[in-house]
Amino acid sequence: MLIFLSPKEKPVTPHNYGARLAYASEQAKAPKRGPYTVRRGFATRVKDGVDIFDLAAVMGHSDIRQTQEYVQTTPTAPARLLAALGERPPLKAVPGAEPELQRHAATGRPGGGKDRLTSVNDHID
């Protein structure tokens, strides 16, 4: 478990921790963030290079499900995983995209076309 100590070598309370984060954010002219947001950001940033069980231990969680709740996933996360495995994710049109871009994503060719592209593997050798 990770415990922060004050300059007087006493455990930092949640209130003091939040106050110190607010002060540091103000001094750095950065957006104000609370302790939960900082912990969540930490878990999200280190998740790719750290074993989930080690991350749970550092964060003081007895159950990795609690750690998983802290880790934010992004829309690109599955694509990164597939790329790491040497696979290519399928293409798909983005809702609200320009019709020209949707046709390009659907066919693999600018301006659209008759043959529908079913996956990146059909387009990239």
Side-chain angles (χ1 to χ4, degrees), residues 1 4 6 13 33 36 39-40 42 49 62 74 79 82 94 97 99 101 105 108 122:
M1 179 188 297
F4 293 102
S6 72
T13 65
R33 302 286 188 249
Y36 176 79
R39 284 176 57 85
R40 188 172 182 140
F42 168 77
S62 59
T74 63
L82 288 173
V94 178
L101 294 176
D122 293 342

Short mmCIF file of all heavy atoms in Angstrom, two decimals, residues 1 4 6 13 33 36 39-40 42 49 62 74 79 82 94 97 99 101 105 108 122:
data_model
loop_
_atom_site.label_atom_id
_atom_site.label_comp_id
_atom_site.label_asym_id
_atom_site.label_seq_id
_atom_site.Cartn_x
_atom_site.Cartn_y
_atom_site.Cartn_z
N MET A 1 0.84 -1.17 0.00
CA MET A 1 0.00 0.00 0.00
C MET A 1 0.89 1.23 0.00
O MET A 1 1.93 1.28 0.65
CB MET A 1 -0.92 0.01 1.23
CG MET A 1 -1.78 1.25 1.26
SD MET A 1 -2.75 1.49 2.76
CE MET A 1 -3.81 0.10 2.74
N PHE A 4 1.26 8.39 1.71
CA PHE A 4 2.05 9.61 1.65
C PHE A 4 2.27 10.13 3.06
O PHE A 4 1.36 10.13 3.89
CB PHE A 4 1.33 10.68 0.81
CG PHE A 4 1.23 10.33 -0.64
CD1 PHE A 4 0.04 9.85 -1.18
CD2 PHE A 4 2.33 10.47 -1.47
CE1 PHE A 4 -0.04 9.52 -2.51
CE2 PHE A 4 2.25 10.15 -2.81
CZ PHE A 4 1.06 9.67 -3.34
N SER A 6 3.62 13.36 5.52
CA SER A 6 3.83 14.81 5.56
C SER A 6 5.28 15.09 5.90
O SER A 6 6.03 14.18 6.27
CB SER A 6 2.91 15.42 6.63
OG SER A 6 3.40 15.08 7.92
N THR A 13 -3.70 13.12 5.51
CA THR A 13 -5.14 12.85 5.52
C THR A 13 -5.73 13.17 4.14
O THR A 13 -5.15 13.97 3.39
CB THR A 13 -5.86 13.69 6.58
OG1 THR A 13 -5.76 15.08 6.22
CG2 THR A 13 -5.28 13.46 7.97
N ARG A 33 -7.72 19.44 -9.81
CA ARG A 33 -8.14 18.03 -9.80
C ARG A 33 -8.17 17.54 -8.36
O ARG A 33 -7.31 17.89 -7.55
CB ARG A 33 -7.17 17.16 -10.59
CG ARG A 33 -6.99 17.56 -12.02
CD ARG A 33 -8.21 17.18 -12.85
NE ARG A 33 -7.98 17.39 -14.26
CZ ARG A 33 -8.59 18.32 -14.96
NH1 ARG A 33 -9.44 19.13 -14.41
NH2 ARG A 33 -8.35 18.44 -16.25
N TYR A 36 -9.38 11.70 -6.16
CA TYR A 36 -9.93 10.58 -6.93
C TYR A 36 -9.51 10.70 -8.40
O TYR A 36 -9.10 9.71 -9.02
CB TYR A 36 -11.46 10.54 -6.82
CG TYR A 36 -12.07 9.46 -7.68
CD1 TYR A 36 -12.06 8.13 -7.27
CD2 TYR A 36 -12.62 9.75 -8.92
CE1 TYR A 36 -12.60 7.13 -8.06
CE2 TYR A 36 -13.15 8.76 -9.72
CZ TYR A 36 -13.14 7.45 -9.28
OH TYR A 36 -13.67 6.47 -10.08
N ARG A 39 -5.86 9.74 -8.76
CA ARG A 39 -5.67 8.28 -8.67
C ARG A 39 -6.14 7.59 -9.94
O ARG A 39 -5.51 6.67 -10.45
CB ARG A 39 -6.41 7.71 -7.45
CG ARG A 39 -5.73 7.98 -6.14
CD ARG A 39 -6.54 7.48 -4.95
NE ARG A 39 -6.86 6.07 -4.97
CZ ARG A 39 -6.07 5.10 -4.53
NH1 ARG A 39 -4.90 5.39 -4.04
NH2 ARG A 39 -6.47 3.84 -4.57
N ARG A 40 -7.28 8.04 -10.46
CA ARG A 40 -7.81 7.45 -11.68
C ARG A 40 -6.87 7.70 -12.86
O ARG A 40 -6.62 6.82 -13.67
CB ARG A 40 -9.20 8.02 -11.96
CG ARG A 40 -9.89 7.34 -13.07
CD ARG A 40 -11.33 7.80 -13.20
NE ARG A 40 -11.93 7.03 -14.27
CZ ARG A 40 -13.13 6.56 -14.25
NH1 ARG A 40 -13.89 6.76 -13.21
NH2 ARG A 40 -13.60 5.88 -15.27
N PHE A 42 -3.64 8.22 -12.66
CA PHE A 42 -2.46 7.41 -12.44
C PHE A 42 -2.70 5.97 -12.91
O PHE A 42 -1.91 5.41 -13.67
CB PHE A 42 -2.09 7.42 -10.94
CG PHE A 42 -1.06 6.39 -10.57
CD1 PHE A 42 0.28 6.58 -10.86
CD2 PHE A 42 -1.44 5.23 -9.91
CE1 PHE A 42 1.23 5.64 -10.51
CE2 PHE A 42 -0.50 4.27 -9.56
CZ PHE A 42 0.84 4.48 -9.86
N GLY A 49 1.75 -0.77 -18.78
CA GLY A 49 3.08 -1.29 -18.50
C GLY A 49 3.21 -2.03 -17.19
O GLY A 49 4.29 -2.42 -16.79
N SER A 62 -7.60 -4.55 -2.31
CA SER A 62 -7.51 -5.98 -2.03
C SER A 62 -8.12 -6.81 -3.15
O SER A 62 -7.93 -8.02 -3.20
CB SER A 62 -8.21 -6.30 -0.70
OG SER A 62 -9.57 -5.91 -0.76
N THR A 74 -10.49 3.79 -23.37
CA THR A 74 -10.74 4.73 -24.46
C THR A 74 -11.25 3.96 -25.66
O THR A 74 -11.07 2.74 -25.75
CB THR A 74 -9.44 5.47 -24.83
OG1 THR A 74 -8.50 4.51 -25.32
CG2 THR A 74 -8.85 6.20 -23.64
N ALA A 79 -8.33 -1.33 -30.32
CA ALA A 79 -7.48 -1.30 -31.51
C ALA A 79 -6.00 -1.46 -31.13
O ALA A 79 -5.25 -2.15 -31.81
CB ALA A 79 -7.68 0.00 -32.29
N LEU A 82 -5.42 -5.14 -30.33
CA LEU A 82 -5.33 -5.94 -31.56
C LEU A 82 -4.00 -5.70 -32.27
O LEU A 82 -3.39 -6.64 -32.77
CB LEU A 82 -6.50 -5.61 -32.49
CG LEU A 82 -7.87 -6.14 -32.06
CD1 LEU A 82 -8.96 -5.61 -32.97
CD2 LEU A 82 -7.88 -7.65 -32.02
N VAL A 94 -17.67 6.65 -38.82
CA VAL A 94 -17.90 7.35 -37.57
C VAL A 94 -19.23 8.09 -37.67
O VAL A 94 -19.45 8.84 -38.62
CB VAL A 94 -16.76 8.37 -37.30
CG1 VAL A 94 -17.02 9.15 -36.03
CG2 VAL A 94 -15.43 7.66 -37.23
N ALA A 97 -19.93 11.74 -39.24
CA ALA A 97 -18.85 12.13 -40.14
C ALA A 97 -19.45 12.59 -41.46
O ALA A 97 -20.58 12.27 -41.80
CB ALA A 97 -17.89 10.97 -40.36
N PRO A 99 -20.51 12.67 -45.19
CA PRO A 99 -20.89 11.54 -46.05
C PRO A 99 -19.73 11.03 -46.90
O PRO A 99 -19.58 9.84 -47.11
CB PRO A 99 -22.01 12.11 -46.92
CG PRO A 99 -22.58 13.23 -46.10
CD PRO A 99 -21.43 13.79 -45.32
N LEU A 101 -16.56 10.99 -46.14
CA LEU A 101 -15.69 10.18 -45.29
C LEU A 101 -16.33 8.84 -44.98
O LEU A 101 -15.65 7.82 -44.90
CB LEU A 101 -15.36 10.93 -44.00
CG LEU A 101 -14.52 12.19 -44.15
CD1 LEU A 101 -14.36 12.88 -42.79
CD2 LEU A 101 -13.16 11.88 -44.75
N ALA A 105 -14.68 5.25 -45.79
CA ALA A 105 -14.50 4.20 -44.78
C ALA A 105 -15.21 2.91 -45.20
O ALA A 105 -14.71 1.82 -44.96
CB ALA A 105 -15.01 4.67 -43.43
N GLY A 108 -13.15 1.98 -48.80
CA GLY A 108 -11.69 2.00 -48.84
C GLY A 108 -11.15 2.87 -49.96
O GLY A 108 -9.96 2.93 -50.19
N ASP A 122 -8.75 -6.45 -45.91
CA ASP A 122 -9.10 -6.48 -47.32
C ASP A 122 -8.43 -5.35 -48.09
O ASP A 122 -8.35 -5.38 -49.29
CB ASP A 122 -10.61 -6.33 -47.50
CG ASP A 122 -11.37 -7.53 -46.95
OD1 ASP A 122 -10.75 -8.60 -46.76
OD2 ASP A 122 -12.57 -7.39 -46.70
#
